[in-house]
Amino acid sequence: MKSLVLAEKPSVARDIARVLHCNRSVNGGLEGENYIVTWGLGHLITLADPQQYDTKYKTWKMEDLPMMPEPFHLEVIAQTAKQYSAVKALLHNKDVKEVIIATDAGREGELVARWILEKAQNKKPIKRLWISSVTDKAIRDGFAHLKDGREYNNLYRAAVCRAEADWLVGINATRALTCKYNAQLSCGRVQTPTLAMIAQREAQIKQFQPQSYFGLTAVCDSLKLVWTDSHSGSQTTFKKEKIEAIKKKIEGNLVVITKVSKAKKKTMAPLLYDLTELQRDANKKYQYSAKQTLNIMQRLYETYKVLTYPRTDSRYLTKDIVGTIKERLKACGVGPYKALAGKLITKPITANASFVNDAKVTDHHAIIPTEQFVALDHMTVDERRIYDLVVRRFLAVLYPAAEYEQTSIQAQIGTELFTAKGSFVLQMGWKEVYQNIEGLEEEETDVQILPKLEQGMKLAVCQLVIKEGKTTPPPYFTEATLLSAMENPVKYMQDTSAKRVQILKETGGLGTVATRADIIEKLFHSFFLEKKGNEIHITSKAKQLLELVPEDLRKPELTADWEWKLAQIAKGERENQQFMKEIRSYAAALTEEIKHGEKTFRHDNITNKKCPNCGKRLLAVNGKNSKMLVCQDRECGYRETVSRMSNARCPVCHKKMELVGKGEQSMFTCSCGYREKLSKFQERRQKEGKNVSKKEVQRYMQKQRAQEQQLTNSLFADALKNIKL
């Protein structure tokens, strides 16, 4: 008799199969003497769509709301039905005596496996493999200490409650809004508070009133001293007359050095990457979207196998990984990393608490290189950039701290205090990894090279300069800063009680590392957000939506409340039936509130161009990287791409150009005013030696049309299918 091991992803299944000596391929799995290893492709099962309960739900009608399935039904996801059938057949194999769940060690991982087992009507005993990394040692240790599957029943109940609650609230509220205002409006407990945060930031920018502030600098040859308020320590004041009076008062006085202090300081390397931090840095440095970074990471993980699992929220390693670090250094120590890695390979690796901490690792450890040797020349530019970020961060944590000596100067000019700071590098430490690289690591902003000074010295003042500046509003969100706000939305909460703040911090804020990129993309595709350069701006449609949705759905506190109750269910301290009873009441009340709303929704982006399908006037909308015309009738669903941002660079200013029009009549346009027909662009590229063939142009145009078609086919009802809010 054999044990069937159910993993979440093929890559993890292959690692487990190798350790368990399962080398023979079977349909949907790998078989050995004692085990059969199979896998999902993420979720294979999901909650059924509304029309699966009643065909009347195919048409969206207000009188059919709220929809309250009891019980909920599960359905096989069509795209992965083949793998589900293979897993089901293995489950019912007469040689299989038990099932070992080996999906991700967490709430959603439990749901992936249990829904497959429930849909397949499994009756066999369940055991649980609970590991946070997939090294050979971790897998062997995990199989030596398998848990009884029943120990995780409460975790499964909490996962089901989360899924069903999001279905009830998200789908009912979305259908109610859409039917009430005949517009494509959607909402949910994560996407709506995210919109509200962006709207709040824009309101702050709009209401901001700049103020002038003033400072005073004394220049003495190579030394610059800054006036400092002796009481508050501030180096600026909003009162111009105060600075002018100080300048007048001290003019002609000598500088008297009153204090020279030196201190040795250390800075540690930044923590290893989790997905959110990597997405932030990639957006700051390369303007990659969160989704783009995740897709690149997924290729480096699954195809190249040179980086570890990307969807992690941990920035630490577990102790069992330490023994594999030298192998990882050998694997990634090529090309620009050869010398840096070489210095580490010859020395013992210590499990420094700054990057090794079992208690701070949840489902997966931080993103680091694998033991797979890398061929850098096989990667695209984008893949190289992401790989470079991860490898340098990995090397940096293994290097010693950067050490420097900081010198602080205090001086008197008349009765006023002036200060200066300077530093001298003693040991580059981890900063050597980023030497001569435009890194993301912050440098000291107040550093200057100081002359040799001693207490009591007197210097003549060459110049006193009043410096004026203006306060600036908070910046617009970029994807990098929006990810940070979603991860820690505390400042956007109305109720900042210690309990709610703690819950949001423990649960990782709005969304998860795995879902935030998709949530942001959905907001763009629903035309709630648009991009101006790298800045994210909220659209009129989104502003109106926030006025129309009930207040609760705009608050991060809703997620905090749910997560607190779900955590109690997972611990067995709260009944799941009671939670779902509350959610059903809440979803019904939410629907009624929307039904009886007295506000209106108005399209303020109507064009004179009519829809070729229904004749109604089209709406002009800005997608994330394109401009489109869409039909205002949600049931029609017509969409047409007007222009799309291309990767072609303007020959004048070198910015990316927009591709306007269709087919051979397409034209590139640039914000600097440059315009060029596609045919002329092709000729110019050939003359420049770029060797762009007709086939390449055709492939480019096919790609553009495919992207357009993808958007056209993404009708609103389809977008809500298998909704995950």
Side-chain angles (χ1 to χ4, degrees):
M1 299 296 281
K2 299 182 180 182
S3 300
L4 180 68
V5 181
L6 176 56
E8 188 164 335
K9 293 168 286 291
S11 55
V12 176
R14 285 192 291 269
D15 289 333
I16 293 173
R18 187 187 68 254
V19 173
L20 299 179
H21 307 293
C22 298
N23 304 316
R24 187 165 64 86
S25 292
V26 295
N27 183 28
L30 294 161
E31 187 173 7
E33 187 176 341
N34 299 311
Y35 299 93
I36 302 173
V37 181
T38 187
W39 56 84
L41 298 166
H43 282 274
L44 298 181
I45 308 296
T46 189
L47 292 174
D49 287 333
Q51 55 266 31
Q52 301 301 320
Y53 299 98
D54 196 319
T55 54
K56 70 179 182 180
Y57 291 140
K58 284 185 178 180
T59 306
W60 292 28
K61 294 179 181 177
M62 188 69 88
E63 56 266 29
D64 292 335
L65 302 177
M67 298 176 290
M68 296 285 175
E70 183 64 53
F72 274 90
H73 296 166
L74 297 176
E75 67 178 1
V76 179
I77 297 172
Q79 295 92 324
T80 53
K82 184 179 178 182
Q83 181 61 20
Y84 168 73
S85 297
V87 174
K88 182 179 179 181
L90 291 171
L91 276 168
H92 293 289
N93 186 322
K94 65 181 188 306
D95 291 334
V96 171
K97 64 175 180 178
E98 65 178 6
V99 179
I100 299 172
I101 295 176
T103 49
D104 289 351
R107 189 174 70 193
E108 292 307 306
E110 196 69 21
L111 189 68
V112 167
R114 296 294 191 106
W115 270 358
I116 293 171
L117 299 181
E118 184 176 330
K119 185 68 176 174
Q121 297 180 321
N122 173 66
K123 304 294 182 187
K124 294 174 182 178
I126 299 171
K127 290 183 179 177
R128 187 54 156 109
L129 174 73
W130 194 268
I131 55 176
S132 295
S133 62
V134 287
T135 62
D136 290 7
K137 183 179 184 299
I139 292 169
R140 282 193 292 268
D141 289 349
F143 272 89
H145 301 91
L146 290 172
K147 308 283 187 181
D148 188 321
R150 290 171 293 188
E151 292 181 29
Y152 299 91
N153 284 349
N154 286 329
L155 185 66
Y156 172 49
R157 292 186 186 106
V160 171
C161 285
R162 195 280 309 156
E164 292 182 354
D166 276 337
W167 193 103
L168 288 168
V169 171
I171 289 186
N172 277 304
T174 293
R175 286 203 174 195
L177 283 165
T178 301
C179 293
K180 173 80 174 177
Y181 302 105
N182 191 30
Q184 296 182 5
L185 302 174
S186 63
C187 63
R189 70 177 175 95
V190 175
Q191 71 172 49
T192 312
T194 301
L195 280 179
M197 291 192 302
I198 300 168
Q200 187 176 328
R201 172 64 61 85
E202 290 200 6
Q204 290 171 349
I205 295 169
K206 189 176 180 180
Q207 295 162 9
F208 183 81
Q209 296 292 329
Q211 279 185 281
S212 294
Y213 60 88
F214 306 90
L216 183 62
T217 301
V219 182
C220 314
D221 292 328
S222 60
L223 175 65
K224 287 185 180 179
L225 294 158
V226 180
W227 170 80
T228 306
D229 190 299
S230 56
H231 298 293
S232 66
S234 173
Q235 295 184 329
T236 59
T237 177
F238 291 111
K239 298 175 182 177
K240 186 177 183 180
E241 61 275 11
K242 179 179 177 180
I243 283 291
E244 288 176 337
I246 292 171
K247 181 185 177 187
K248 187 175 181 180
K249 183 177 69 172
I250 66 174
E251 279 179 335
N253 285 282
L254 294 173
V255 174
V256 180
I257 306 298
T258 57
K259 187 177 181 181
V260 178
S261 56
K262 294 184 179 182
K264 288 184 179 179
K265 295 195 173 186
K266 291 183 179 181
T267 59
M268 300 300 292
L271 294 175
L272 293 166
Y273 280 119
D274 63 4
L275 178 58
T276 302
E277 183 69 8
L278 181 62
Q279 287 169 324
R280 276 196 288 259
D281 278 1
N283 182 257
K284 287 177 189 173
K285 191 169 184 183
Y286 303 117
Q287 287 74 57
Y288 292 162
S289 70
K291 185 69 174 176
Q292 192 177 0
T293 300
L294 176 56
N295 289 342
I296 296 167
M297 261 299 305
Q298 203 68 31
R299 293 199 298 273
L300 293 168
Y301 166 65
E302 289 184 350
T303 307
Y304 295 95
K305 306 183 192 309
V306 293
L307 295 183
T308 56
Y309 184 65
R311 290 177 169 87
T312 175
D313 60 356
S314 175
R315 302 186 66 183
Y316 290 85
L317 303 178
T318 48
K319 288 177 183 174
D320 62 314
I321 297 292
V322 177
T324 70
I325 286 179
K326 286 204 174 182
E327 286 301 311
R328 296 171 194 268
L329 287 170
K330 290 175 185 176
C332 70
V334 298
Y337 320 114
K338 187 174 182 179
L340 293 166
K343 292 181 181 180
L344 298 168
I345 291 171
T346 57
K347 299 175 183 177
I349 303 294
T350 55
N352 193 312
S354 64
F355 69 95
V356 179
N357 190 330
D358 286 19
K360 292 189 177 182
V361 176
T362 51
D363 297 0
H364 297 277
H365 59 69
I367 301 169
I368 59 172
T370 65
E371 297 99 325
Q372 177 75 36
F373 280 89
V374 62
L376 297 176
D377 55 346
H378 291 176
M379 294 183 187
T380 65
V381 172
D382 294 336
E383 290 162 352
R384 278 282 290 112
R385 285 172 170 175
I386 297 301
Y387 183 74
D388 183 75
L389 287 176
V390 174
V391 171
R392 289 189 187 276
R393 184 64 65 91
F394 174 64
L395 294 171
V397 300
L398 298 172
Y399 268 69
E403 297 182 19
Y404 61 98
E405 184 179 75
Q406 187 178 77
T407 303
S408 298
I409 306 292
Q410 288 187 12
Q412 290 286 135
I413 305 179
T415 58
E416 295 297 322
L417 173 65
F418 282 73
T419 59
K421 282 184 181 179
S423 67
F424 177 76
V425 175
L426 300 174
Q427 178 178 289
M428 286 291 291
W430 64 269
K431 292 196 175 185
E432 183 182 341
V433 175
Y434 294 96
Q435 205 169 13
N436 303 319
I437 296 291
E438 287 187 23
L440 300 160
E441 322 314 323
E442 292 185 6
E443 299 294 332
E444 296 285 335
T445 57
D446 56 357
V447 171
Q448 61 173 304
I449 299 173
L450 297 173
K452 190 173 181 180
L453 299 169
E454 294 179 3
Q455 187 174 333
M457 286 181 67
K458 294 182 180 180
L459 307 169
V461 178
C462 301
Q463 192 178 15
L464 285 171
V465 181
I466 292 177
K467 293 196 172 181
E468 180 179 352
K470 284 188 180 291
T471 56
T472 57
Y476 284 96
F477 277 117
T478 62
E479 286 206 37
T481 55
L482 182 57
L483 286 167
S484 297
M486 291 176 75
E487 188 177 44
N488 185 19
V490 172
K491 67 168 70 173
Y492 300 95
M493 293 169 60
Q494 293 179 19
D495 179 358
T496 54
S497 61
K499 178 181 171 183
R500 282 189 167 174
V501 169
Q502 185 62 27
I503 291 167
L504 265 180
K505 283 184 177 178
E506 288 176 357
T507 55
L510 294 172
T512 66
V513 289
T515 61
R516 287 184 193 122
D518 286 330
I519 290 163
I520 294 172
E521 289 297 311
K522 182 179 178 182
L523 292 173
F524 277 110
H525 290 154
S526 301
F527 310 119
F528 290 132
L529 298 178
E530 61 185 10
K531 264 195 169 183
K532 295 179 181 178
N534 202 33
E535 294 175 351
I536 293 174
H537 291 252
I538 201 164
T539 63
S540 170
K541 179 182 178 181
K543 289 175 185 174
Q544 292 185 78
L545 173 70
L546 291 172
E547 292 293 322
L548 301 174
V549 297
E551 187 180 4
D552 267 4
L553 273 180
R554 301 197 296 265
K555 297 178 181 178
E557 288 93 321
L558 180 64
T559 287
D561 286 338
W562 282 24
E563 290 296 344
W564 176 62
K565 291 173 181 176
L566 291 171
Q568 287 185 312
I569 293 169
K571 294 174 186 174
E573 297 171 0
R574 179 182 287 263
E575 289 294 327
N576 57 311
Q577 296 94 334
Q578 179 59 33
F579 175 78
M580 290 310 302
K581 184 178 178 182
E582 293 170 7
I583 292 295
R584 288 176 183 277
S585 298
Y586 176 69
L590 208 59
T591 307
E592 286 302 309
E593 187 176 342
I594 294 170
K595 277 183 181 180
H596 297 102
E598 296 180 355
K599 295 178 180 177
T600 57
F601 181 87
R602 181 177 63 87
H603 293 296
D604 58 1
N605 53 344
I606 294 178
T607 68
N608 289 323
K609 191 168 182 179
K610 291 186 177 180
C611 174
N613 292 346
C614 68
K616 293 182 180 177
R617 287 200 291 172
L618 297 171
L619 307 175
V621 297
N622 292 326
K624 189 174 184 181
N625 296 302
S626 62
K627 292 178 181 177
M628 304 177 68
L629 294 173
V630 301
C631 186
Q632 60 181 288
D633 190 329
R634 64 180 175 84
E635 293 184 356
C636 174
Y638 176 79
R639 294 186 177 194
E640 174 187 332
T641 300
V642 176
S643 67
R644 182 179 298 281
M645 189 60 67
S646 73
N647 287 322
R649 298 281 179 173
C650 172
V652 177
C653 69
H654 305 294
K655 291 180 181 176
K656 286 185 178 180
M657 295 191 292
E658 220 173 358
L659 184 62
V660 182
K662 296 181 180 179
E664 294 299 323
Q665 297 304 311
S666 300
M667 177 173 284
F668 287 103
T669 66
C670 181
S671 57
C672 73
Y674 179 81
R675 295 165 67 85
E676 184 176 34
K677 283 187 176 180
L678 177 63
S679 56
K680 294 292 183 184
F681 169 79
Q682 179 185 351
E683 290 175 14
R684 178 170 61 83
R685 296 280 285 179
Q686 286 176 333
K687 287 178 183 177
E688 290 171 356
K690 300 297 183 183
N691 299 320
V692 179
S693 66
K694 281 188 176 180
K695 283 187 177 180
E696 287 174 308
V697 173
Q698 286 171 355
R699 279 198 298 268
Y700 178 77
M701 295 305 299
Q702 285 170 358
K703 185 179 178 182
Q704 297 284 340
R705 285 193 289 271
Q707 289 174 329
E708 179 182 340
Q709 187 65 29
Q710 186 179 6
L711 285 169
T712 303
N713 292 337
S714 180
L715 300 180
F716 190 55
D718 292 337
L720 289 175
K721 188 177 183 182
N722 305 326
I723 191 168
K724 290 181 175 62
L725 302 168

